[in-house]
Every structure is written in C-alpha cells, then in structure tokens.
Amino acid sequence: MKRFRLAIAALAVVTLGLTACGGGDDDKSASSATEVKLYNDKGAWKTYFEGVGKLSKEQIGLGVTPVGYTDEPTYEAFIKASFRTNNKPDLFTWSTGGRLKEIVDSGQVADTSQLWSDAIASGDVSKELEPYYTIDGKQYCVPANVSYWVMFYNKKVFTDAGVQPPTSWADLMSTADKLKAKGVTPFYQTSVLFSFVWFQQLLIGSDPQLYNDLATGKAKFTDPKVVAVMQQWKDMEDKGYFSDPGSKDQPEVMLKSGKVAMGLFGTWFNTNMTTQGMKPDSDYGTFVVPNVTPSLPNTTVAFESGPLCSLTKAPNPDASNKFLKWWMGADAQDQWANSRGDVSANPKVQIKDPGLNQLNKEAGEGKYTLANRYFEAVPPAVLTASLDGFGAFMVDPGSYQKQLETIQKASDDYWKSN
C-alpha cells in the first residue's frame, strides 16, 4: 500500500503540472517533424538513446530527445496523467503483461499490428515474441529491449575463493558457503522494486508450471509448494547469503568492489557493469542459474521484453510510427543492443559480447524454458502486494506466511472481478 500511496501522490503532482503546462505539440505536421521525444524509466540510458537518435536522424530524418526518469512511481504517474492532458509523449517505455493490458484497455495505446506483421515477415523480430505484445488479438507497442535473467559474478572474487560457475543448485549453494567463509557476501538483493527476484528464481527453478499458475490465478500463494519456496528463501537469508536489502549502494558498485560476489539481473545489467569500467569475460562473467529441481527437463530462465509504445493520440502519430518501424530494423537494433552490451529482439543482430551472443543463440534455439518475468507476469494489483510483501519478508524472514496470505488476498480480489 505504501508504494500505491506514493504513486497516487506522484500522480496528483504530475497531473497538476501537466494541467498547468496546458497545450502540447498537436500542431506538428508529419512532414515538418525532425525529432521525437522518448519518455522512459531508464534515466541512466540517456547516452544510448542519444546514440540511436543520432543514427535515426541520419537514416530517417528523425532525431530522438530522451526524457528519462529514475523513480518508477513518478514515471508511471506522469505517463498515466499524460493520457488526460494535451501534453503527450511521442513515445514511451512501459512493461508487458498486466500493466500493458491496463493502458491498452483504456484505449490510449496505438495499435502496431501492421508493424509486427511486416517485421515478422522480414525476419526483424521473432514470432515467439508476439504473444507478449498481443492483447485481444492485436499487437501494441514494439520491443524496446529483450533480456534474460542470469547471474553476474565477479571473476576475481571467484578465483580468490577457489570456486567456478556452478552447474547444479547444490554447486551454487556450496559456492555460497565457500564465499561466505572467505568473508564475502554471496548474493546481492534489494527490497526496492526488484524484491521479487529471488522468489521468481526459486519458484521457476522448482516448479515452472506452478509459477505460471500463480500468475493466472489458477494456484494460490498459500499452496504448500509456494510456502516451501519461501522457507527455502528464509533458509538462505538465515545463512547470511544476501546483502542488506535496504542498502543504498548500487549493485554494480558492490560487485565491482567485491563486497558481493553475485547478482541476479536481466542481461540489460551488462550496461551497468561496463559503465563501471569492468570488462566482460575478464572482470566479470555470467552464468545461467541451475534449476533447484534437477529432474526438470530444461533449465528455466526468466525472460523480459520491455515495450516501446506510442499513443492513439500522439502529438504526431505518423512520426511516431515512422520511428517505431525503423526501430525494429537491424541497423537500429545493432546500434541499440551493442552500445549497451545487451541482446536484441532482432535475430539478425550479432551481439559483440561472446557470452551474451551464445546465450541469445541458445535461448533462440529452445535450449531453455522461458518464464515471463514476475514483474510482467502477474496482474498490477498482485504485483504491488508482492513487492511490498517480499520486501517486508527480507526485513523479517519469519513473516513469510503472513506475506503470502496478504499477497493471496490481493490475488483473490483481482481474479474475482477479472
């Protein structure tokens, strides 16, 4: 509820600000447009958006002005407030799943079905991505990024502790014990925004079908198997495997310093590491987290794809559509993915980082079972309760049953009317 109240407060402030501004850019014509404003919740990526904008200016005559936010509730409040004013973004980033459906159902998001059809036909996007952007048979937005959730680790810390990337869950726990014995905290965790990460990883590695059933209301958070996952997480907490969840230190800084040995993130985190001056394959590496249950047929990897959207009443719909079409092409995606050191939604793009290129190839070939990231998989109301509940659990691991019951109540309330 705390996050909800903060979001409401931010919405009120943003709405007042937008109302005061009034007006907008509705008088721009398609032929005269020379730039688009791209609002995003990735403030640290300004340089990368500008790099893409330089290329788009050269190739299609449209530059990009990124407007980045670093506080998620404030960003969400701004975007939703813009729906009711004349001051609207040309383009904006969002998330798939329930949050995308919510704004699509409001009638605010532009249909991109033709862009998807053309991109799939030309091989610029995989058809496997299409369901994540499909609501009631139509596509909305295009992929802003694609990421697989893997473990980042400090190579020097591993070498000093005499450990290697694990090949089984038992190996991972043994590695954590050895690191702890060397005075190094094994894993990074946070109670802010990404509090779901370890719940997600433990559950998809134990019972991926149960994970999917929770997301669709077919299973309960109080199911004994879910309780067992929380008990396993509590055991890891009790053993001191995790960093202080309330720490204000950035995870990439903690990994670089060796304060923590490992961090579980989407492949987009590669950008955070390289901006710290760390070099992939020499200073740090990545590995796919082994399943908790070794008998599962495939290793399950959490997957996310964040959308780049335009509005039905965008300031200049033609310019927005022109940019989105270009964005899905190989030139744009090569610049976007390789400047950040991440994978791409466009299969034609060769990723320069050999480790990520191999991961992208293996995932595309079906080596892994993919699970939609928890942030996008569950409905917004359940996500809000979960973020608060998992954050509270980190502070008081013994409260896991109480937190699951609270999350289940939010799930019951949502699915009763949906």
Side-chain angles (χ1 to χ4, degrees):
M1 287 301 293
K2 181 180 179 182
R3 291 173 190 272
F4 179 76
R5 288 193 297 269
L6 287 173
I8 291 298
L11 178 60
V13 171
V14 172
T15 302
L16 286 171
L18 289 174
T19 304
C21 289
D25 295 321
D26 292 328
D27 58 340
K28 290 192 301 185
S29 67
S31 60
S32 64
T34 58
E35 70 165 32
V36 289
K37 287 187 177 180
L38 195 162
Y39 286 77
N40 64 87
D41 56 354
K42 300 162 177 57
W45 290 6
K46 179 181 178 181
T47 301
Y48 308 112
F49 283 118
E50 289 176 339
V52 172
K54 182 178 180 181
L55 184 62
S56 66
K57 183 72 172 179
E58 294 172 357
Q59 295 193 346
I60 60 172
L62 280 175
V64 173
T65 299
V67 183
Y69 285 70
T70 56
D71 180 74
E72 183 63 29
T74 302
Y75 176 71
E76 181 175 346
F78 169 79
I79 294 298
K80 289 184 175 180
S82 74
F83 297 163
R84 296 180 292 277
T85 73
N86 291 327
N87 193 2
K88 301 180 184 298
D90 294 298
L91 302 164
F92 64 98
T93 61
W94 204 244
S95 57
T96 54
R99 292 179 77 234
L100 179 58
K101 186 177 187 305
E102 181 183 36
I103 62 172
V104 167
D105 287 348
S106 73
Q108 299 293 336
V109 186
D111 183 334
T112 56
S113 298
Q114 189 61 53
L115 291 179
W116 275 90
S117 177
D118 293 344
I120 290 172
S122 64
D124 281 331
V125 70
S126 168
K127 191 167 180 62
E128 281 69 33
L129 267 182
E130 191 178 39
Y132 295 96
Y133 291 81
T134 302
I135 297 173
D136 296 332
K138 295 181 180 180
Q139 287 72 54
Y140 297 88
C141 312
V142 302
N145 68 296
V146 172
S147 285
Y148 303 102
W149 279 67
V150 296
M151 193 73 80
F152 286 77
Y153 70 98
N154 183 309
K155 285 202 165 189
K156 183 178 186 302
V157 169
F158 265 44
T159 298
D160 291 346
V163 296
Q164 297 288 330
T167 57
S168 70
W169 185 261
D171 285 346
L172 180 59
M173 294 300 97
S174 175
T175 295
D177 287 331
K178 290 174 182 176
L179 289 163
K180 192 79 170 56
K182 288 285 186 179
V184 178
T185 300
F187 304 113
Y188 171 83
Q189 73 170 356
T190 178
S191 60
V192 180
L193 189 60
F194 287 161
S195 61
F196 65 87
V197 169
W198 278 94
F199 176 80
Q200 167 187 275
Q201 188 61 49
L202 288 167
L203 189 51
I204 66 173
S206 301
D207 192 334
Q209 185 57 54
L210 178 58
Y211 176 84
N212 291 333
D213 288 345
L214 276 183
T216 54
K218 296 176 182 177
K220 292 186 177 294
F221 285 86
T222 50
D223 184 291
K225 291 182 179 180
V226 181
V227 174
V229 163
M230 293 300 291
Q231 290 171 336
Q232 186 174 17
W233 190 4
K234 179 181 182 298
D235 181 62
M236 295 171 69
E237 293 276 2
D238 292 343
K239 289 178 178 176
Y241 284 172
F242 296 107
S243 63
D244 174 7
S247 173
K248 302 299 183 184
D249 293 337
Q250 294 300 311
E252 59 269 26
V253 175
M254 297 174 75
L255 279 163
K256 181 179 181 178
S257 68
K259 189 175 181 179
V260 297
M262 293 176 275
L264 186 54
F265 291 100
T267 47
W268 47 260
F269 189 70
N270 207 46
T271 305
N272 299 54
M273 297 293 277
T274 56
T275 54
Q276 285 295 311
M278 300 186 75
K279 297 179 180 179
D281 294 327
S282 57
D283 295 326
Y284 69 95
T286 61
F287 62 85
V288 172
V289 180
N291 283 338
V292 178
T293 303
S295 59
L296 290 171
N298 288 325
T299 300
T300 304
V301 176
F303 160 86
E304 65 172 291
S305 181
L308 179 61
C309 308
S310 63
L311 297 173
T312 51
K313 295 182 180 179
N316 192 322
D318 289 344
S320 296
N321 195 65
K322 181 179 181 180
F323 182 85
L324 289 179
K325 182 176 181 178
W326 174 82
W327 172 269
M328 298 178 82
D331 287 348
Q333 285 301 302
D334 180 71
Q335 166 71 25
W336 177 240
N338 282 308
S339 66
R340 296 182 300 111
D342 199 358
V343 297
S344 172
N346 189 314
K348 297 176 183 177
V349 174
Q350 182 77 11
I351 307 303
K352 293 176 183 176
D353 183 308
L356 291 184
N357 195 57
Q358 182 66 19
L359 172 65
N360 203 39
K361 182 174 182 292
E362 290 174 346
E365 293 173 348
K367 181 176 179 179
Y368 305 112
T369 297
L370 298 181
N372 197 15
R373 188 176 71 153
Y374 189 84
F375 197 91
E376 289 79 26
V378 299
V382 179
L383 176 63
T384 298
S386 298
L387 295 179
D388 288 341
F390 296 145
F393 161 81
M394 292 178 192
V395 177
D396 178 12
S399 69
Y400 62 87
Q401 188 69 46
K402 174 186 176 183
Q403 307 307 334
L404 289 177
E405 290 171 358
T406 300
I407 298 169
Q408 183 55 44
K409 184 180 184 304
S411 181
D412 286 340
D413 291 344
Y414 177 82
W415 291 112
K416 280 177 185 176
S417 56
N418 292 275

